[in-house]
Amino acid sequence: MTHRGSRVLHVGSLARVEGEGALHLSVHDGAVTDARLRIYEPPRFFEAFLRGRVYTEPPDITARVCGICPVAYQLSACAAIEDACHVTVDPALRELRRLLYCGEWIESQTLHIYLLHAPDFLGCDGAVELARTARAHVERGLRLKQAGNAVLELLGGRAIHPVNVRLGGFHRTPTRHELKPLAEQLKRAADDAWQTVSWVAGFDFPDAETDADLFALAAPGTYAIETGTPAVLRADGTLSTFPLHAFLDRVHEEHLPHSTALHSTLDGRRHLTGSLARFAISGRWLSRTAVEAARAAGLGDPYEGVACRNPFRSILVRAVEVVYAVDEALRIIDTYEPPRHPHTEVPPVAGTGHGATEAPRGLLYHRYLLDSEGAVADACLVPPTAQNQGAIEDDLRRIAQAAIDEHDASDEELTRLCERAIRNHDPCISCSTHFLDLTIERT
Amino acid sequence: MSPPTLAVFKLASCDGCQLTLLDCEDELLGLSGQVEIAHFLEASSAVRPGPYDLTLVEGSVTTPADAERVHEIRAASRHLVTIGACATAGGIQALRDFADVEEFSRTVYARPDYIDTLATSTPVSAHVDVDFELRGCPVDRRQLLEVITAYLAGRKPDIPNNSVCFECKRRGTVCVTVAHGTPCLGPVTHAGCGAICPAYGRGCYGCFGPSGSVNLPALIPVLHRDGMDDRDAERFLHTFNTAAFEKELRR
């Protein structure tokens, strides 16, 4: 067939992403005229039914937005409600939260690397097919993922929708003795994480570069995970931060007919959250081992504030983040002293609270308006996928156009390439089921 | 003889129950040697058409399109098993059943006219025949493996119908209601999780839905005794299995 003239490519249901989405690409006379990641995940209305619930409930309820990153929802909700109630949580409990979050990072990033993303680089349909030719690699991935799940299970009670998180901390905190076997498992995971970096560093990466602004939390002194200030790194290298309470003044969402997810911009520009943004903004605060891993992977020197803007190479950054999360989990366990109380008391206060944390897929923001009894009057959740969708579509346009310009790529090639471009970000599509009500329609 | 085929489908959900299958790290590769994974979008791009020997369905029916799709899935499946609170009871999104879904839509979306949704979130069994329903928000990994193994062996899954209290006793956990007056749905909630919440010092919040033979109305005075007013008790029951507990209360 000829590749000139008009053609439309359509992938009805994307594989190896979390949730349900489709891809639509229009090419006219060699120019990509339309690229859409269509999200058809049914709406679930979290922001609507959170109204009228009691302020202690959002951590358990919003966990159900996403089975892949429930801790991110639980801890963003806790941060926002504790902010509304003017409560500062005991530092030892904050460390324990970070340990729980490290478990989620290890589990979720490893899932992305081994089960969703690596098969693209190795030309197979999935990890089970990959295991036929590279069983040892897949087994290593499953073992590493299991170590992350072990952290979640011990601290949270279970890996999916943990039950032990509450406002102010935990229902029950572990003893030093209970954490011991976990440390043993994590020490083995440290080897697996390092080998994962070496493995993915050998993959063949297509050329691509995003010019979106990179957006992540910053917490100077540490690699931001469960807390921090929103920071923006523009393509020209300028870095700025803004207070979390200004989040909704800066990040605007727009509702487009082709998707149940909202499209958002940051100060009117496209932005990207997630591993690439975190690495660019907080790379200098990685542990020594993780910095070495980044250098060995060819990502450059994080101490020099290096940024990686090739979305295909996000798998490398993710692997470095797993090295860090394992390292950080071991550090927390090593210095752990059981806190005197499993949680800090959080009495209800009327007001508004903001919370944001770094979900594995990117920055996750929550805002709650509480009345004096602690009932939720209004809730607003802005997940990473809703923020990234514009940048993902821009990737699609750019990558498809480059392939057409370079060698008049066939429909099959373009489809495969675009699917890969989407899986670079693994949009967590389940997260797209709830949105803001602040967009004003003007006619 | 070719191995039996396994399919996994998703309706409105958080992906957590199908993730449970990928969380079977020790068993995943062994299992994939015994079945042919014919349709599992989260795990593989290779998709084969039905019929499938065993189909697992996650999520509830919340859109006109899914109400049709669930019939196609049934028609393509020899055995159909629903996994999780959404697929077996409508899930948390069934809170819309007791509210005005149009108002929900206006609250969440700038352009509710772009949104195509049903007024209810219903379990798969409200639309098609289901061979087995596995409870939980999320399902339990061991129970999920038991269900898959049972169907592969051509037997009925061994999933006890008793309450969380049984699991607490087996685990040796001191009863949080008796010892601390903590409101707990354990006596009326289906077993399966291993009684995690009481082991972590909190009351069961009912994520596995009602157990088979319980007297739910009898628990309400106990919740009142432990400090919950009517609205607290209602919220307690109206969360992850809201429609199922509601049915149980009205029985």
Side-chain angles (χ1 to χ4, degrees):
Chain A
M1 63 170 286
T2 169
H3 297 136
R4 292 292 157 194
S6 290
R7 49 182 168 146
V8 173
L9 300 178
H10 186 73
V11 178
S13 40
L14 290 163
R16 281 186 285 123
V17 296
E18 298 156 1
E20 302 212 288
L23 160 70
H24 183 97
L25 192 74
S26 304
V27 184
H28 187 67
D29 274 343
V32 178
T33 52
D34 195 16
R36 290 182 196 169
L37 167 62
R38 190 173 78 83
I39 288 179
Y40 58 86
E41 183 86 22
R44 289 186 292 152
F45 303 116
F46 276 85
E47 288 164 327
F49 61 63
L50 278 166
R51 292 168 310 163
R53 303 295 300 206
V54 174
Y55 77 125
T56 51
E57 293 183 296
D60 287 325
I61 290 179
T62 61
R64 269 67 185 185
V65 171
C66 179
I68 288 108
C69 58
V71 170
Y73 279 87
Q74 294 185 323
L75 293 187
S76 287
C78 286
I81 296 165
E82 288 155 9
D83 177 48
C85 300
H86 314 299
V87 167
T88 306
V89 173
D90 181 312
L93 292 166
R94 295 213 301 266
E95 281 279 278
L96 215 47
R97 281 180 167 175
R98 190 170 169 87
L99 175 60
L100 178 73
Y101 220 141
C102 284
E104 180 155 291
W105 270 34
I106 298 166
E107 186 280 324
S108 177
Q109 299 287 46
T110 304
L111 169 88
H112 189 170
I113 294 168
Y114 281 88
L115 285 103
L116 310 179
H117 207 185
D120 275 337
F121 292 93
L122 301 164
C124 51
D125 291 322
V128 167
E129 292 82 352
L130 182 59
R132 292 195 190 113
T133 52
R135 190 167 177 113
H137 291 297
V138 177
E139 280 177 350
R140 180 182 60 228
L142 292 172
R143 201 164 55 225
L144 186 53
K145 185 165 161 301
Q146 195 168 36
N149 275 339
V151 176
L152 292 164
E153 281 162 17
L154 181 77
L155 273 180
R158 63 184 170 197
I160 301 168
H161 306 326
V163 303
N164 194 24
V165 173
R166 56 163 291 165
L167 292 183
F170 294 87
H171 290 278
R172 185 172 86 73
T173 48
T175 59
R176 282 188 62 84
H177 181 73
E178 280 178 293
L179 291 176
K180 251 190 197 155
L182 201 56
E184 293 309 313
Q185 191 171 0
L186 285 165
K187 279 177 198 155
R188 289 191 296 275
D191 284 340
D192 288 333
W194 184 269
Q195 284 180 36
T196 301
V197 174
S198 312
W199 183 53
V200 297
F203 292 173
D204 195 13
F205 298 101
D207 283 333
E209 188 162 300
T210 176
D211 65 358
D213 291 343
L214 301 176
F215 184 45
L217 296 177
T222 185
Y223 201 76
I225 300 179
E226 81 294 355
T227 183
T229 306
V232 193
L233 181 66
R234 302 218 187 269
D236 64 9
T238 52
L239 180 72
S240 60
T241 61
F242 62 82
L244 186 58
H245 63 75
F247 187 92
L248 294 175
D249 300 329
R250 310 291 289 264
V251 175
H252 286 280
E253 300 198 291
E254 187 190 351
H255 191 165
L256 302 179
H258 72 268
S259 170
T260 53
L262 301 187
H263 270 233
S264 67
T265 49
L266 171 60
D267 297 336
R269 298 152 58 93
R270 261 191 316 277
H271 67 290
L272 181 69
T273 73
S275 296
L276 293 183
R278 286 192 294 254
F279 182 70
I281 287 168
S282 295
R284 71 186 68 234
W285 304 112
L286 284 165
S287 62
R288 215 173 55 196
T289 328
V291 165
E292 278 168 32
R295 286 190 191 127
L299 286 167
D301 188 346
Y303 290 143
E304 306 279 320
V306 68
C308 168
R309 288 188 161 271
N310 180 344
F312 289 96
R313 291 165 73 89
S314 64
I315 192 170
L316 284 176
V317 180
R318 236 167 250 123
V320 168
E321 287 194 332
V322 175
V323 169
Y324 175 72
V326 172
D327 225 22
E328 183 68 353
L330 280 166
R331 179 194 68 77
I332 295 169
I333 292 174
D334 199 41
T335 56
Y336 176 65
E337 290 297 336
R340 286 181 56 195
H341 302 289
H343 61 266
T344 305
E345 286 300 328
V346 184
V349 174
T352 301
H354 309 262
T357 67
E358 283 291 335
R361 306 293 168 271
L363 194 153
L364 168 62
Y365 167 84
H366 286 215
R367 183 203 63 188
Y368 297 93
L369 178 62
L370 306 182
D371 71 17
S372 58
E373 310 269 279
V376 175
D378 188 53
C380 165
L381 320 177
V382 185
T385 295
Q387 299 185 68
N388 287 345
Q389 199 179 349
I392 295 174
E393 292 187 341
D394 191 51
D395 272 10
L396 288 172
R397 268 190 296 274
R398 200 182 289 257
I399 289 166
Q401 190 64 62
I404 290 168
D405 293 346
E406 197 182 292
H407 61 279
D408 201 10
S410 70
D411 288 6
E412 293 71 27
E413 262 180 280
L414 279 182
T415 304
R416 212 167 40 241
L417 197 59
C418 287
E419 285 186 277
R420 290 186 63 180
I422 290 169
R423 286 193 286 262
N424 284 338
H425 303 280
D426 171 33
C428 198
I429 296 171
S430 311
C431 290
S432 70
T433 57
H434 55 114
F435 311 96
L436 287 177
D437 58 344
L438 91 166
T439 307
I440 300 160
E441 282 295 317
R442 293 189 179 85
T443 50
Chain B
M1 208 175 84
S2 54
T5 48
L6 174 73
V8 182
F9 287 92
K10 170 189 151 63
L11 308 169
S13 69
C14 77
D15 279 45
C17 291
Q18 54 175 322
L19 177 67
T20 304
L21 197 53
L22 299 179
D23 273 358
C24 298
E25 291 99 358
D26 288 333
E27 298 87 6
L28 188 64
L29 294 181
L31 180 70
S32 67
Q34 304 201 10
V35 295
E36 183 192 337
I37 297 176
H39 186 288
F40 185 5
L41 282 180
E42 184 159 309
S44 176
S45 317
V47 171
R48 293 173 191 83
Y52 310 110
D53 291 306
L54 174 61
T55 297
L56 306 175
V57 179
E58 171 194 270
S60 64
V61 177
T62 61
T63 63
D66 277 351
E68 279 180 36
R69 190 156 67 110
V70 78
H71 285 276
E72 292 163 22
I73 294 170
R74 173 71 264 187
S77 309
R78 218 170 118 229
H79 298 291
L80 181 73
V81 171
T82 57
I83 56 170
C86 298
T88 60
I92 186 145
Q93 54 270 14
L95 284 169
R96 79 180 68 183
D97 298 5
F98 307 92
D100 173 0
V101 79
E102 283 179 20
E103 193 268 334
F104 271 21
S105 218
R106 282 196 304 275
T107 303
V108 178
Y109 295 97
R111 292 295 302 265
D113 50 313
Y114 294 160
I115 300 298
D116 197 10
T117 188
L118 295 171
T120 53
S121 167
T122 39
V124 173
S125 63
H127 301 262
V128 295
D129 284 339
V130 167
D131 295 293
F132 191 81
E133 296 186 306
L134 186 64
R135 318 284 200 93
C137 180
V139 292
D140 178 74
R141 187 162 58 203
R142 290 151 298 188
Q143 288 203 333
L144 181 61
L145 283 170
E146 162 58 19
V147 168
I148 296 172
T149 322
Y151 277 96
L152 289 178
R155 63 174 171 81
K156 195 175 173 296
D158 178 19
I159 303 291
N161 222 7
N162 50 29
S163 73
V164 169
C165 287
F166 284 70
E167 298 187 306
C168 247
K169 301 295 165 286
R170 206 171 294 136
R171 196 167 171 155
T173 304
V174 172
C175 176
V176 294
T177 298
V178 172
H180 309 294
T182 304
C184 180
L185 293 180
V188 298
T189 297
H190 200 285
C193 66
I196 306 168
C197 286
Y200 279 79
R202 70 182 291 190
C204 162
Y205 59 76
C207 65
F208 273 60
S211 61
S213 52
V214 294
N215 183 356
L216 178 51
L219 184 71
I220 306 298
V222 183
L223 297 179
H224 288 159
R225 183 202 68 191
D226 293 336
M228 285 192 155
D229 64 20
D230 278 339
R231 283 177 50 208
D232 294 333
E234 188 186 314
R235 268 197 309 272
F236 204 26
L237 292 164
H238 278 209
T239 311
F240 306 111
N241 286 277
T242 178
F245 278 119
E246 184 65 23
K247 207 160 95 186
E248 212 49 51
L249 270 179
R250 305 272 165 263
R251 212 154 65 151

